[in-house]
Amino acid sequence: MKVHFIVHEAFEAPGAYETWVRERGYAATYSRVHAHEPLPRSIADIDLLVVMGGPQSPSTTREECPHFDAAAEQALIAACAAAGKAVVGVCLGAQLIGAALGARHAHSPEKEIGKFPVMLTAEGRANDKFAHFGDVVETGHWHSDMPGLTDGAKVIAYSEGCPARSSNTAIWCTASSAIWSSRRRWSNG
């Protein structure tokens, strides 16, 4: 499997996702946009696209953040999705996935900075990729925005400050490295 990471800031590294890739012997490539590394010109060498977080939003302009091109990232995400490739978004990445698929991101009702519970909905408990986390997972948070939901999206997890935390369209994984490492049960394939 070939995994490509888009990293927006040095402090938003892939961490546990990178460990998951390495432990399985998958190939990893990167676009560290904070270091002015380009996005891939083609999706041919991408099986899984992981779009990391950052302080930007899908509406951040090049004037506001010269190294961040929301439109180019959304085009890459849309191309991967149209080709049936897996795309995972973390925080900003989930917002970009939603925007690439036609949903609008929004401000959360409340900022969440610190450790807060994330609760699975009935949809989440029935989803084999999330059910093993249990009904409630305590995770670290640092956000004030949430991804938009596309038509047909079902919320699979939420927190009090972010009612649309995770959906079956834009997966917003906020699990800390420790939780990810101790509870991961994703398939090896």
Side-chain angles (χ1 to χ4, degrees), residues 27-167:
T29 55
Y30 301 83
S31 292
R32 294 175 189 92
V33 296
H34 62 89
H36 305 285
E37 294 178 1
L39 296 174
R41 292 180 186 254
S42 166
I43 63 169
D45 289 331
I46 300 173
D47 297 313
L48 168 62
L49 178 65
V50 180
V51 187
M52 298 303 299
Q56 304 86 351
S57 77
S59 58
T60 300
T61 66
R62 295 292 302 255
E63 291 75 31
E64 294 169 315
C65 185
H67 68 262
F68 176 67
D69 187 342
E73 289 192 29
Q74 289 174 44
L76 179 66
I77 291 165
C80 285
K85 295 173 185 275
V87 182
V88 172
V90 180
C91 194
L92 168 61
Q95 295 171 41
L96 290 165
I97 292 169
L101 300 177
R104 296 182 57 90
H105 75 286
H107 293 294
S108 297
E110 298 177 33
K111 285 186 178 181
E112 289 182 309
I113 300 174
K115 186 177 176 183
F116 297 97
V118 173
M119 287 74 65
L120 291 182
T121 65
E123 287 283 336
R125 288 188 296 276
N127 185 311
D128 65 349
K129 297 291 188 213
F130 295 92
H132 65 278
F133 282 110
D135 290 344
V136 178
V137 178
E138 293 277 332
T139 65
H141 303 255
W142 190 319
H143 60 88
S144 59
D145 292 321
M146 59 186 177
L149 299 176
T150 57
D151 291 341
K154 295 182 176 27
V155 175
I156 56 174
Y158 68 95
S159 65
E160 292 301 321
C162 186
R165 170 156 310 284
S166 298
S167 73

